[in-house]
Each structure stands twice: as C-alpha cells, then as structure tokens.
C-alpha cells in the first residue's frame, strides 16, 4: 500500500481507491500534480497480478502525465487511473459505477481511454459524469485519439531526422515499427505516405492483418528480430521498457522515436543511447498528440484545431534537442528539466494572493 514517504518522494497529491462489489469494481485513481490545472489521464483496465502492481502502475503513469501536459504547454495536471479486471469481463455497470465515483472528485481528475478501455466505455461513463473526454464525435467528443498520437510521433520523427540527417523528410528512410496496434498502424500509414520504407512486428495476428491493410508493402519480421534490423529509425509502439540492457546493444539505428510510454527501462538508458550516438526523441513529448486532442474537447474540438496543435510537436522536440545539446545532457533529462521548470514557474505565479474575501484583512479586494 502507498506510504506517505513514497507519495512525498514521487510528488503525488492524492491516491483514491474506489470499490463497488455489486459490479466487481476495483479502481485506483492517482492524482500526481494539479499546479497547471485539473489532472487529465486515461483509465487503464488490466488483469494486474495484485493490488501493489496496479498501484505502482497508476503512480508511475500519473507522474508521467504531469510531465507530458507540462512539456506540451497544456494547462492540465497529471493523473491516471487503473481498474483491476479481466479485459474480457468489461460491462456497462462497471464503467457507470466508476463514472459515478469520478464525478465525486468534482473535476480534480478527468479521465479518458487507455489500454483496454474504448470510446464505448467512455460513453458509459459519460452517463454519470462530465469529467470524461475521448467520447464519440456524436456526443461532442473527439473520438479515437490514436491518429493524433501517431501524427505527433511522426512530427517527432521528422524533428529527429532534421537533427540527424539535416532534413526533416522521411523519404527513403527505413523505419522499424514495434507494435502494429492503434498508434503503430496510423504511424505506419503516415510514414508510408511520406515515402519511408516500413518494417514492422507484432504478436497479434489480427493487428498484423490490419496493419497490412493500412501500410501496403511493409515488411513483417518476428518480435525478437525487430531489434536487429538495419534501419534509420527504431520506433517502439507496443509496451514500455523495450530499451533496456538486453536490447540496447542490438539496435542498428540512428534514432529511437515511438509512441509507447516509458520506453527507457531506466533513466540511465537515455545516457547510453547518447553515448552510442543514437538520438532519442523523448516518449512523453512526442506521444502527446492524443492528450492534446482530447484536451480540446472542453473548448470545442475540431480536426483542424487538433491537427494544428499536434503539429507543434515538431518545434517542441527541436527545442528539447537544442537544450540537451546546450547543456550536454541526455535528451530524456532535458525533457524532464523543461517540464519541471514550467510546473515550478506556474507554482510560483499561482502563489500570488488573488484577493478573495478574508474578514481578517479588510483591505482585501472582493472578486
Ligand atoms: P494497442 O494495444 O492498440 O497496440 C499495442 C500493440 O503492441 C498490439 O498490437 C500488441 O499486440 C503489440 N505488442 C504487445 N507486445 C508486443 C511485443 N512484445 N512485440 C511486438 N508487439 C507487441 O495500443 P496503442 O493504443 O497503439 O498504444 C501503443 C503504445 O502507445 C502504448 O504504450 C500506449 O501506452 C502508448 N500511447 C498510446 C496513445 C494512444 O492514443 N493510443 C497515446 C499515448 C501513448
């Protein structure tokens, strides 16, 4: 169970457990930091081995969301939730019960899709709470965020190409995509249409077939083989921690840039990539397109607004590369510094007295 010592060290504000035996709901909501605004982050549904594992995942992911929102220039905090359940056993009542609990947080946490939760699940919650995004376009939402996540990753890859090859074009570049799911397949399509040669892998036959429809002529390799292929860009779009001690020496690329969260098993792997002269485009910076997309639901989403916002990931990535070079630090470290600096700066300006009514100070202005 979480100790206050752990929450202090990771910087979390709040951890809430929700339970409803009537539908088997076991949910944990972690709110990491709300300095910039309400905490926004998806709800992951997973058959966790135990509650400790579920909590650890929610703590780590919610912290990542604070950094993602901060570096993306969004006025949002970081949060994430997990539901402990079998993905084959989802139900309307589970999500409606969960939605009622989310409502009780009064907007401190806004939820969205994540692994094993869909637009349909968001719709169930939407019956019970307005603090949910990623609902369908018919309900005024923005629908599936994955094409926008993929577009952001594509812009991050272009920025990395500018840095490494002196030109943002991916034409003729060989890209090895690990994970042919939602993000992988849209990214593959964007790359293919821009003239890149795509190599890919997955462990799920249905997703392999869908990928083939999206990206004709792509070359399929085995899940282990992907680490050894000669390529310009290695793009992790499956699970986290795939850049680790076992894989890092096998990579034959000049760039690592993909949509998966937490690609580096440990921070030190960012330094190893730097030493190997492989440019890393930080995951939470270039995969923020989905977050940017759903964030627009509150002000009125449109494809045009979303695309414009997601396109800024190119410049944001270039800025982080420049900072890393100037400070001679690994790129993942530079991204963290930039995100932390923004949160700290906003914390300071928000500490100003806003003039609310306080009878002890008669001069205080009424708002
Ligand atoms: P997804 O479940 O649709 O796709 C993931 C794919 O990876 C699946 O096809 C799965 O079979 C495959 N996979 C799993 N293990 C593998 C392995 N060992 N080797 C090869 N393939 C493997 O998920 P997604 O929505 O495409 O998300 C992909 C990643 O991007 C995740 O890490 C997710 O957290 C992250 N992400 C997604 C979004 C989004 O908008 N969907 C936004 C930000 C970050």
């Amino acid at each position: 169970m979480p100790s206050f010592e752990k929450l202090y060290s990771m910087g979390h504000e709040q951890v809430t457990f929700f339970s409803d035996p009537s539908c088997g709901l076991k949910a944990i909501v972690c709110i990491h930091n709300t300095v910039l605004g309400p905490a926004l982050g998806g709800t992951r549904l997973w058959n966790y081995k135990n509650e400790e594992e579920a909590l650890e995942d929610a703590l780590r992911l919610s912290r990542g969301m604070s950094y993602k929102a901060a570096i993306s220039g969004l006025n949002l905090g970081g949060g994430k939730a997990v539901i402990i359940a079998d993905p084959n056993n989802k139900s309307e009542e589970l999500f409606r019960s969960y939605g009622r609990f989310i409502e009780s947080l009064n907007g401190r946490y806004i939820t969205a899709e994540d692994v094993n939760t869909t637009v349909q699940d968001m719709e169930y919650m939407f019956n019970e709470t307005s603090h949910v995004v990623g609902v369908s376009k018919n309900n005024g939402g923005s629908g599936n965020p994955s094409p926008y996540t993929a577009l952001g990753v594509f812009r991050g890859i272009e920025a990395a190409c500018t840095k490494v090859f002196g030109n943002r074009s991916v034409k003729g570049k060989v890209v090895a995509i690990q994970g042919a799911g939602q993000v992988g397949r849209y990214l593959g399509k964007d790359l293919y249409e821009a003239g890149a040669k795509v190599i890919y892998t997955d462990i799920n036959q249905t997703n392999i077939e869908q990928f083939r429809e999206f990206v004709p002529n792509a070359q399929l390799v085995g899940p282990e083989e992907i680490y050894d292929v000669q390529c310009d860009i290695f793009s992790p779009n499956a699970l986290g921690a795939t850049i680790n001690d076992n894989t890092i020496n096998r990579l034959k690329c000049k760039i690592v840039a993909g949509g998966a969260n937490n690609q580096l098993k440990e921070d030190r792997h960012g330094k190893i990539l730097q030493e190997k002269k492989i440019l890393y485009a930080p995951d939470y910076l270039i995969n923020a397109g989905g977050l940017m997309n759903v964030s627009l639901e509150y002000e009125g989403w449109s494809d045009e607004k979303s695309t414009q916002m997601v396109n800024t990931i190119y410049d944001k990535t270039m800025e982080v590369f420049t900072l890393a070079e100037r400070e001679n630090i690994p790129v993942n470290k530079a991204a963290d510094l930039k995100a932390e600096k923004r949160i700290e700066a906003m914390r300071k300006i928000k500490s100003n007295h806003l003039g609310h009514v306080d009878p002890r100070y008669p001069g205080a202005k009424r708002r």
Side-chain angles (χ1 to χ4, degrees), residues 78-251:
K80 200 93 178 183
V82 296
I83 294 179
I84 305 170
D86 179 347
N88 301 315
N89 253 338
K90 297 196 296 184
S91 63
E92 176 182 356
E93 55 270 33
L94 183 89
F95 285 104
R96 290 191 68 159
S97 169
Y98 176 61
R100 293 175 73 80
F101 284 122
I102 294 300
E103 181 63 20
S104 74
L105 293 171
N106 284 321
R108 257 176 71 68
Y109 170 66
I110 302 163
T111 198
E113 288 99 337
D114 198 74
V115 177
N116 289 325
T117 55
T118 60
V119 173
Q120 171 64 74
D121 302 330
M122 301 306 114
E123 299 278 300
Y124 290 141
M125 285 188 232
F126 194 55
N127 287 297
E128 308 293 344
T129 179
S130 55
H131 306 304
V132 53
V133 288
V135 294
S136 72
K137 290 180 183 163
N138 291 343
N139 269 331
S142 59
N144 180 6
S146 303
Y148 299 92
T149 302
L151 176 64
V153 174
F154 180 71
R155 296 289 175 235
I157 289 176
E158 286 184 315
C161 285
T162 302
K163 189 79 191 143
V164 172
F165 304 112
N167 182 335
R168 75 186 274 173
S169 171
V170 297
K171 192 158 187 223
K173 298 284 179 291
V174 179
V175 188
I177 297 185
Q178 180 186 47
Q182 292 273 359
V183 176
R185 78 175 71 111
Y186 284 105
L187 175 64
K189 186 169 189 282
D190 290 344
L191 287 164
Y192 169 74
E193 286 172 357
K197 177 175 186 292
V198 176
I199 301 174
Y200 73 109
T201 192
D202 202 290
I203 51 170
N204 176 310
Q205 197 52 37
T206 312
N207 287 356
I208 288 176
E209 271 148 36
Q210 280 192 2
F211 190 93
R212 205 172 282 142
E213 281 169 30
F214 269 62
V215 195
N217 302 329
Q219 182 192 342
L220 176 67
V221 297
E224 267 304 306
E225 222 182 313
I226 197 82
Y227 295 110
D228 303 313
V229 296
Q230 190 71 48
C231 59
D232 297 294
I233 298 138
F234 177 72
S235 184
N237 295 283
L239 306 177
T242 55
I243 308 295
N244 57 49
D245 288 340
N246 298 326
T247 60
I248 208 160
N249 288 322
R250 292 165 61 185
L251 299 178

Side-chain angles (χ1 to χ4, degrees), residues 269-281:
H269 292 111
K271 177 127 180 69
I272 300 175
L273 285 177
Q274 184 192 26
E275 285 160 3
K276 290 174 71 65
K277 306 222 173 326
I278 296 176
L279 181 63
Y280 173 60

Side-chain angles (χ1 to χ4, degrees), residues 291-339:
L291 176 65
M292 290 175 168
N293 184 59
V294 292
S295 77
L296 287 169
E297 277 185 32
Y298 281 95
E299 58 180 77
W301 176 88
S302 77
D303 175 59
E304 197 189 343
K305 272 199 261 182
S306 183
T307 303
Q308 251 179 33
M309 194 187 243
V310 176
N311 283 339
T312 65
I313 289 179
Y314 177 88
D315 287 338
K316 291 186 166 79
T317 309
M318 290 305 291
E319 283 167 21
V320 170
F321 290 155
T322 304
L323 176 65
E325 195 168 64
R326 201 178 63 220
E327 302 293 323
N328 193 24
I329 51 175
V331 189
N332 55 311
K333 191 82 205 140
D336 287 356
L337 281 182
K338 202 162 187 307

